[in-house]
Amino acid sequence: MPTPERTSVDEIVTAGREILELAGPAGLTMQAVATRVGVRAPSLYKRIRDRDALLSAVATASIEALTAQLEAAADDLTALARAYRTFAHAHPEGFRLMFTAAASHEALGRSAAPLIRAASALVGEDDALDAARLFTAWATGFLQMELSGAFRLGGDVDRAFEYGLSRLLTGMAA
Amino acid sequence: MPTPERTSVDEIVTAGREILELAGPAGLTMQAVATRVGVRAPSLYKRIRDRDALLSAVATASIEALTAQLEAAADDLTALARAYRTFAHAHPEGFRLMFTAAASHEALGRSAAPLIRAASALVGEDDALDAARLFTAWATGFLQMELSGAFRLGGDVDRAFEYGLSRLLTGMAA
DNA sequence: ACCTGAACACCGTTCAAGT
DNA sequence: ACCTGAACACCGTTCAAGT
């Protein structure tokens, strides 16, 4: 006698993202996810291999959410930088997890597309990939440092962000 | 009757750094550290508050090791960038941990000093802090992406690093 | 088919008892 | 003083038994 499914991968991943932001990575336990979706922990293993696979799925979902924001931004690097930062502020734990857990290759590729397009418009096709990597590395490092409190010791963080962005664009266009 | 100490904080942190590189963060257990320094796990709690404090201590030690390399590098940003990358390649897990676990403020400040000095020489005192943050953010983000395999999809990573470095210097000097 | 309680392995941590 | 075995709480994971 088949039993109707009481949850789904989507529901589990969504619950995982919510718990991650509320309780951090250590709080993202199989128990917590199970409780939130209304089943017992062992039932989760019908949908996902293990906790690592859950973390990867949550990381991938975060990247996809970020990609949607980047695609909604205008096609220039300034707008993309600000959209990136807005996303990181809104989902700090999901942002961090994107660089910790192994996310899907396809999702990573899709998130890079708008950046490469905007970089290409600025520096040409030949240097587009290197330029996109320069830009992404800076933005990623800056936001991780900002989120981890490495900038606590003084200075205006907003100003530092704009300084970095403008110098980066100057350097790339030169 | 006092018992002689069979280990020390230094020995524990050193063991922690070694285990971290060999077995990753998940392998850095209190048991593994205790075995390596020759005591039982409960004895570690005479020296460090808990596993989180151990992770912080290991992160701080990693930052101090990095600082020593940066101070040994010549006082220009190109040499500092290459020293930074060399360190990250040599201690990938320690490098990652530096941005994950809460490290000591003083250690972080000391590691920033050579960068701010080099940045100041290039852009002047007023912009030195912003420039150092731009540089550090780029290098940190680049190395994290390189270590996490985000660059797997093609292109020459060494070339991308040199491209980023030269564009960054161009933009900062403009 | 899917769900669950029970069980197991493993880890962090505490503590009373040893020396 | 420091060290340890024993114990506890908590978590990930498996599995036989339920429906």
Side-chain angles (χ1 to χ4, degrees):
Chain A
M1 209 62 63
T3 310
E5 309 178 353
R6 262 169 241 184
T7 186
S8 64
V9 173
D10 259 27
E11 208 186 356
I12 289 168
V13 172
T14 298
R17 290 186 69 199
E18 292 164 353
I19 293 168
L20 178 65
E21 295 301 335
L22 293 170
L28 181 47
T29 66
M30 300 299 273
Q31 268 251 36
V33 173
T35 300
R36 189 168 256 254
V37 303
V39 299
R40 303 287 176 164
S43 300
L44 297 177
Y45 293 83
K46 283 283 156 181
R47 318 249 177 260
I48 41 165
R49 194 172 53 260
D50 52 23
R51 184 170 179 269
D52 247 40
L54 172 63
L55 292 176
S56 291
V58 169
T60 297
S62 296
I63 288 173
E64 278 164 357
L66 168 62
T67 302
Q69 298 301 314
L70 296 184
E71 282 169 352
D75 240 11
D76 72 294
L77 289 174
T78 299
L80 287 170
R82 299 211 175 112
Y84 201 44
R85 190 161 180 234
T86 298
F87 181 88
H89 288 177
H91 312 280
E93 295 291 350
F95 181 80
R96 263 192 279 262
L97 187 69
M98 285 173 29
F99 307 99
T100 301
S104 116
H105 259 302
E106 294 85 38
L108 271 174
R110 274 194 295 276
S111 76
L115 293 163
I116 294 175
R117 219 162 43 229
S120 186
L122 185 63
V123 303
E125 276 204 25
D126 283 0
D127 286 340
L129 186 56
D130 284 350
R133 282 171 175 176
L134 165 57
F135 177 85
T136 306
W138 164 72
T140 300
F142 189 97
L143 290 168
Q144 284 195 338
M145 290 167 71
E146 182 180 5
L147 292 178
S148 74
F151 290 159
R152 229 172 306 175
L153 292 180
D156 182 331
V157 178
D158 290 339
R159 197 187 91 118
F161 188 80
E162 296 300 330
Y163 173 91
L165 182 55
S166 79
R167 293 301 164 150
L168 220 51
L169 296 177
T170 301
M172 281 166 45
Chain B
M1 211 58 66
T3 309
E5 310 178 351
R6 263 169 240 183
T7 187
S8 65
V9 173
D10 259 28
E11 208 187 354
I12 289 168
V13 172
T14 299
R17 290 186 70 200
E18 292 163 354
I19 294 167
L20 178 66
E21 296 301 335
L22 294 169
L28 182 46
T29 66
M30 301 299 273
Q31 268 251 35
V33 172
T35 300
R36 189 167 255 256
V37 302
V39 299
R40 303 287 177 167
S43 300
L44 297 177
Y45 294 84
K46 285 281 156 182
R47 317 249 178 258
I48 41 164
R49 195 172 53 261
D50 53 22
R51 184 169 180 270
D52 247 40
L54 172 62
L55 291 176
S56 291
V58 169
T60 298
S62 296
I63 288 174
E64 279 164 357
L66 168 63
T67 303
Q69 298 301 316
L70 295 183
E71 282 168 352
D75 239 13
D76 72 294
L77 289 174
T78 298
L80 287 170
R82 298 209 177 114
Y84 201 44
R85 189 160 181 236
T86 298
F87 181 87
H89 288 178
H91 312 280
E93 296 291 349
F95 180 81
R96 264 192 277 262
L97 187 70
M98 286 172 29
F99 308 98
T100 302
S104 117
H105 259 303
E106 294 84 39
L108 270 173
R110 275 193 296 276
S111 74
L115 294 163
I116 294 174
R117 220 162 42 230
S120 186
L122 185 63
V123 303
E125 277 205 23
D126 283 0
D127 286 341
L129 185 58
D130 284 351
R133 282 171 175 174
L134 164 56
F135 177 85
T136 306
W138 164 71
T140 301
F142 189 98
L143 289 167
Q144 283 195 339
M145 290 167 71
E146 181 180 6
L147 291 179
S148 74
F151 290 158
R152 226 172 309 174
L153 291 181
D156 183 331
V157 177
D158 290 340
R159 198 187 91 118
F161 189 80
E162 297 299 330
Y163 174 92
L165 182 54
S166 80
R167 293 302 165 150
L168 220 49
L169 296 177
T170 301
M172 281 165 46

